[in-house]
Amino acid sequence: MSTITRSDYDHYIVPVYAPANFIPVRGQGSKVWDQEGREYIDFTGGIAVNVLGHAHPALVEALNTQANKLWHVSNLFTNEPALELAKKLTDATFADRAFFCNSGAEANEAALKLARRYAYDNFGEEKFEIISTLNSFHGRTYFTVSTGGQEKYSKGFGPKIEGISHVPYNDLAAMEAAISEKTCAVILEPIQGESGVLPAEQAYLEGVRALCDKYNALLIFDEVQTGLGRTGKLFAYMHYNVIPDILSNAKCLGGGFPIGAMLTKEHIAKHFSTGTHGTTYGGNPLACAVANKVMDIVNTPTVLEGVEKRHQLFVQALERMGKPYDLFSQIRGKGLLIGCVLTPQWKTRTSEIIKAAAQHGLMILQAGPEVIRLAPSLIIEETDIQEGINRFEQAIKHLL
Ligand SMILES: *Cc1c(COP(=O)(O)O)cnc(C)c1O
């Protein structure tokens, strides 16, 4: 194994990514070590995935226990971990039904297909239009990337999927102008994650909910990134008290094991009748066993209140750290999905900042061109927060 190097990436992997120049080999809590044994504080959480950090003993135990019992049986059979997880998720949310898959994109793919089928069955084939927002991100399958509001990801792949339009985010008048009897669904992230950690305004989500009701359109919340405790509530819609018809989740749900879920109401779910949609691995016992444990731990007052406390610690430390360098113009986001908006003098240097941070033993993320995004473990230790911010400052000093 010691002969594996970072340059192998450039020889053997389809080059859709440009990974950092070190290879992580081990993680524990909010720390990661690379091949050379160098230590990093992890503020990325595997892009908002490692909800309980690395190698959490309870998740390791849940995975190992299930690994010794049953890995996979296909959806010709159901299994106990999947049923248990569906019960937990529906008990804890607006939803009555769950559909399991393997990623965020697949959860959104299911949501969008279900919305179209629901409209087709109830209102006829003219009602198929989907309204999404500019700069949104919904995944990389063909339907989801076409639904996402970033042209750079969807162009160059042949004819577009018909009936999808994009309006500015947090702009209720634009939504009102776009929506009609032909609209089958509106899809929104309660906080736009990938494009810069931009939260929806309360009046916006309430207004979109009312418009969807008026036009018999389903409201889909893409909570792939915001769900499962990330924002300090189990799901972000709970901050707003605006209830979607369909919700997608993935990332935090598996704590690092691939799983996605689409949640919805009974009267909508029934339009996915036997055979209309499916997936080989969805509801896999290994994934669901881990997700059950994630739910048990995260959906507790201790962890969720801890997210809010850590949010405050981060915001105070970041503001104090950034001040002498005029680094940030705003710190925004909810819970442990934090966007640090760079000032005009720093915003062209985002990738330099991320590289310098890695050199100083800190993993951080970008979101959009000018935002540093932090999405650490929900149970990150206070000492790791302080040490991470110290390393962040060292990196910035290095760039002066
Ligand atoms: C990450 C993300 C997705 C895509 O999830 P994958 O697991 O990469 O397919 C979709 N929507 C949002 C909001 C995301 O953050």
Side-chain angles (χ1 to χ4, degrees), residues 103-106 108 137-140 189 194 222 224-225 250-251:
S103 67
E106 283 174 74
N108 284 330
F137 184 78
H138 300 299
R140 302 296 198 123
E189 296 162 85
E194 294 302 306
D222 178 347
V224 170
Q225 186 155 169
K251 294 199 167 97

Side-chain angles (χ1 to χ4, degrees), residues 50-63:
N50 299 321
V51 70
L52 298 171
H54 299 273
H56 189 286
L59 300 191
V60 172
E61 140 83 18
L63 182 60

Side-chain angles (χ1 to χ4, degrees), residues 86-262:
K87 276 192 194 168
K88 279 182 194 162
L89 287 169
T90 53
D91 279 353
T93 63
F94 75 96
D96 314 310
R97 299 275 175 158
F99 170 81
F100 294 120
C101 49
N102 313 291
S103 67
E106 283 174 74
N108 284 330
E109 183 85 19
L112 295 164
K113 281 181 70 181
L114 176 58
R116 280 199 168 170
R117 180 55 68 100
Y118 173 87
Y120 178 90
D121 290 346
N122 284 312
F123 304 99
E125 58 188 28
E126 294 292 302
K127 192 175 176 72
F128 65 89
E129 290 180 6
I130 291 163
I131 304 177
S132 172
T133 52
L134 293 171
N135 297 322
S136 63
F137 184 78
H138 300 299
R140 302 296 198 123
T141 64
Y142 202 44
F143 199 172
T144 58
V145 86
S146 306
T147 301
Q150 300 184 59
E151 171 109 82
K152 66 173 192 266
Y153 293 146
S154 62
K155 74 167 189 236
F157 296 107
K160 294 268 166 67
I161 292 179
E162 271 180 60
I164 304 170
S165 61
H166 299 92
V167 295
Y169 189 69
N170 269 335
D171 183 341
L172 191 57
M175 186 64 76
E176 189 158 15
I179 200 167
S180 76
E181 291 295 345
K182 287 178 152 189
T183 308
C184 74
V186 172
I187 183 167
L188 289 176
E189 296 162 85
I191 301 175
Q192 283 194 333
E194 294 302 306
S195 63
V197 191
L198 188 62
E201 284 156 18
Q202 179 70 33
Y204 180 62
L205 292 191
E206 285 175 6
V208 174
R209 177 69 271 179
L211 286 171
C212 286
D213 292 342
K214 182 170 168 196
Y215 290 98
N216 291 311
L218 298 181
L219 178 57
I220 303 170
F221 278 171
D222 178 347
E223 293 226 32
V224 170
Q225 186 155 169
T226 54
L228 241 290
R230 174 61 52 198
T231 66
K233 295 211 188 267
L234 187 63
F235 288 100
Y237 80 81
M238 295 169 175
H239 288 284
Y240 293 93
N241 217 1
V242 173
I243 315 294
D245 300 295
I246 305 178
L247 180 150
S248 55
N249 180 227
K251 294 199 167 97
C252 282
L253 179 58
F257 201 96
I259 182 171
M262 178 193 72

Side-chain angles (χ1 to χ4, degrees), residues 70-73 75 79 81-82 100-102 257 259 280-289:
L70 186 70
W71 285 31
H72 179 81
V73 285
N75 285 304
N79 68 77
F100 294 120
C101 49
N102 313 291
F257 201 96
I259 182 171
T280 296
Y281 291 116
N284 173 282
L286 291 171
C288 292

